Amino acid sequence: MNEISSGPQDGHGPLYEGHGIVQIYNGHRALAIDNVTVMHGEVVCLVGPNGCGKSTLLRILALLEEPASGTLAVHGIAGRKDVTLLLQEPYLLNMSVYANVVLGLRLQHRMKGAKEAYVLAMRDAGFPEPFAFAERSPSELSGGERQRIALASRLILTPKVLLLDEPTANVDAKSARAVARAILKTRNGGATIVCATHDPALIRATEARTIRLGRTWDEEPSVTPDLEA
Amino acid sequence: MDYLINGVLAALALLADPDEATLSAIRASLISTAWAILVAFALGLPLGFVLGYCRFFGRNALRLVSDTLLAFPTVLIGLLVYALITSRGLLGEYGLLFSLPGMAIGQAVLAGPIVTSWTAQAVENLDPRCAGTLLTLGADRWQTAALTLWECRYAIGMVLITAFGRVVTEVGIAMMLGGNIRYATRTMTTAIALETSKGEFAQGIALGLVLLLIAFGVNIILAMLKRRGRV
């Protein structure tokens, strides 16, 4: 069950407090974690082997789904619109790059100043010439470019909580550094970032706290959390 | 073979300087088809979207019915709609039999399942990450549904012109419900059937060429849509 409290937004204190969170898909346990806490304004990286539930936990933190059991308290945000999640294999709609990047603003009726915001977000995502891409179709982009365009479409929203699922999985080293810089800039803007990753360089570059998830439920009937790395 | 060659030559002359009967048949075909497609889309598009997008009890059964109706024989549609609009039928008082609106009703019944089933298929085939992406960008339920439909626009464009091609080349419904009345309900297909039965090949071939041109145009648009829809 999710509980959301708007509360005072002073940038301190816990943002997420989860207890005994378990998620089950088609009868199979996808995630089990005793306690998880994320503080306002920090960068947290979820690490662990494939299938340990990192993406599942991100979807729960994004308020896109509720856990099968356990509680998640969310403090200091108004609801799902304050949170945005970048999927591991992002989907770009069949429209121009510009339309894709400003889509979230359009959906939230925040189109005033969209062009300037587009330029900033694209630069933060590692595109020094944003309008060189504006009219291009997603089909003309490489995998790494698509990943960074999708990142720009999240950064433009200036979310209070930015959730990223393997943001450097499909990008080269230079683009990975751009992603790390974007994360730090977003954090410095007051946002909280939770990122599932296998990339130690990203963890180092963003000075992130790590939460290690493990598939402990395969071997043991009761779940042992291993939170702090 | 001479009669065919002479027919083609006469058809080309007729196309260069069409008579009123030829123009009337082309006009009747396009008007009844346009109305049929309009009605089929007005009803079939929302129904197809709901069938493809929503999950509810009975959805699979409805899909099965819609898919089965894709193979609805045109003469059977003609018969059923005839029974409906004949003077003794439910809609008999409106005088729809042997009129373009009457033909359009039958053709809409033909196009409806095409629009419904293929729209549902287009929505089902859409990348499942699309809805998730929209939700993570702050879309509400209605925005997500509307943009999902928008994302299927090229596939739905293909449904439109496929349905158009099916209806404009159809003959059974037009013959039964339109009555093949000259300058009124005679369409290209019924005119071809009539002229051929009379041994008058020129007008039949001329109208056949127009149908071929329409099919060619439809396929060009289809190819363009397929290219644009590929992301």
Side-chain angles (χ1 to χ4, degrees):
Chain A
M1 176 186 273
N2 294 339
E3 297 168 12
I4 301 173
S5 69
S6 297
Q9 296 173 23
D10 54 1
H12 300 290
L15 169 67
Y16 290 113
E17 286 184 299
H19 300 287
I21 294 177
V22 173
Q23 188 61 300
I24 295 170
Y25 298 133
N26 299 323
H28 296 285
R29 188 142 48 165
L31 170 71
I33 184 166
D34 273 0
N35 293 294
V36 59
T37 303
V38 176
M39 308 299 283
H40 274 285
E42 71 172 341
V43 181
V44 173
C45 282
L46 306 177
V47 295
N50 290 336
C52 68
K54 300 189 293 290
S55 301
T56 304
L57 181 56
L58 283 179
R59 281 196 298 276
I60 291 171
L61 298 181
L63 309 175
L64 292 175
E65 57 187 67
E66 292 205 354
S69 64
T71 58
L72 176 70
V74 191
H75 307 289
I77 62 168
R80 188 162 55 77
K81 286 194 174 178
D82 286 337
V83 185
T84 188
L85 165 67
L86 177 62
L87 303 172
Q88 183 172 1
E89 291 178 13
Y91 179 85
L92 295 176
L93 276 78
N94 193 1
M95 46 178 75
S96 70
V97 164
Y98 178 80
N100 266 289
V101 173
V102 302
L103 180 61
L105 293 180
R106 193 178 300 280
L107 290 168
Q108 297 180 26
H109 311 292
R110 293 163 50 193
M111 281 300 281
K112 198 174 172 188
K115 270 193 176 173
E116 294 77 10
Y118 167 81
V119 171
L120 276 176
M122 286 289 280
R123 285 193 177 140
D124 287 346
F127 294 99
E129 297 289 340
F131 282 106
F133 283 83
E135 292 307 318
R136 286 173 69 175
S137 154
S139 60
E140 301 168 34
L141 304 173
S142 69
E145 285 171 338
R146 289 163 70 96
Q147 183 97 21
R148 287 185 292 132
I149 295 290
L151 175 63
S153 72
R154 271 53 177 194
L155 296 176
I156 201 170
L157 297 172
T158 55
K160 289 181 180 162
V161 184
L162 176 61
L163 306 172
L164 305 167
D165 196 353
E166 303 284 2
T168 55
N170 302 316
V171 300
D172 57 23
K174 187 180 168 197
S175 300
R177 286 195 293 276
V179 171
R181 278 196 300 273
I183 289 174
L184 285 174
K185 186 175 175 189
T186 307
R187 183 202 62 185
N188 293 341
T192 306
I193 295 103
V194 183
C195 175
T197 186
H198 286 106
D199 182 0
L202 181 70
I203 299 170
R204 280 196 302 274
T206 56
E207 303 153 5
R209 177 168 73 87
T210 56
I211 294 179
R212 184 171 300 278
L213 305 181
R215 290 180 59 89
T216 49
W217 63 85
D218 281 345
E219 295 88 29
E220 300 170 21
S222 64
V223 179
T224 306
D226 183 8
L227 300 181
E228 290 286 347
Chain B
M1 279 303 283
D2 282 353
Y3 69 95
L4 258 182
I5 295 166
N6 291 337
V8 170
L9 293 174
L12 291 174
L14 195 58
L15 281 178
D17 184 20
D19 61 9
E20 182 51 33
T22 306
L23 288 176
S24 165
I26 295 170
R27 198 163 40 236
S29 282
L30 294 179
I31 290 173
S32 66
T33 301
W35 277 110
I37 294 295
L38 196 67
V39 171
F41 256 78
L43 301 174
L45 186 66
L47 184 58
F49 180 74
V50 168
L51 285 179
Y53 186 73
C54 304
R55 299 288 175 266
F56 55 88
F57 180 75
R59 171 182 167 273
N60 288 338
L62 283 173
R63 274 303 307 268
L64 191 63
V65 169
S66 177
D67 289 348
T68 305
L69 290 178
L70 285 172
F72 213 164
T74 53
V75 283
L76 185 56
I77 294 173
L79 178 69
L80 294 174
V81 178
Y82 188 100
L84 193 69
I85 64 176
T86 189
S87 58
R88 288 176 296 166
L90 262 176
L91 303 175
E93 61 187 289
Y94 299 107
L96 294 167
L97 192 59
F98 304 138
S99 70
L100 286 181
M103 277 166 54
I105 291 173
Q107 289 168 334
V109 174
L110 173 67
I114 297 174
V115 175
T116 303
S117 281
W118 292 9
T119 298
Q121 195 66 50
V123 174
E124 283 171 358
N125 286 347
L126 189 63
D127 194 317
R129 292 172 301 165
C130 178
T133 296
L134 292 168
L135 289 171
T136 62
L137 289 172
D140 61 29
R141 224 159 38 125
W142 296 106
Q143 287 173 323
T144 303
L147 272 165
T148 298
L149 186 60
W150 176 249
E151 194 65 356
C152 296
R153 62 195 179 282
Y154 296 120
I156 289 170
M158 286 164 69
V159 174
L160 169 72
I161 54 181
T162 305
F164 177 86
R166 178 74 182 90
V167 168
V168 81
T169 55
E170 177 283 326
V171 64
I173 295 170
M175 190 72 88
M176 291 178 77
L177 301 177
N180 201 16
I181 301 167
R182 197 177 192 195
Y183 301 126
T185 59
R186 183 167 298 170
T187 64
M188 287 188 275
T189 52
T190 59
I192 290 170
L194 179 70
E195 299 302 325
T196 306
S197 70
K198 289 187 331 195
E200 296 286 339
F201 292 107
Q203 198 187 17
I205 292 172
L207 291 169
L209 286 175
V210 173
L211 272 179
L212 266 178
L213 279 175
I214 289 174
F216 186 60
V218 161
N219 275 301
I220 288 176
I221 298 170
L222 254 176
M224 286 165 58
L225 283 174
K226 276 182 183 167
R227 207 165 43 237
R228 289 202 66 178
R230 205 176 297 138
V231 180

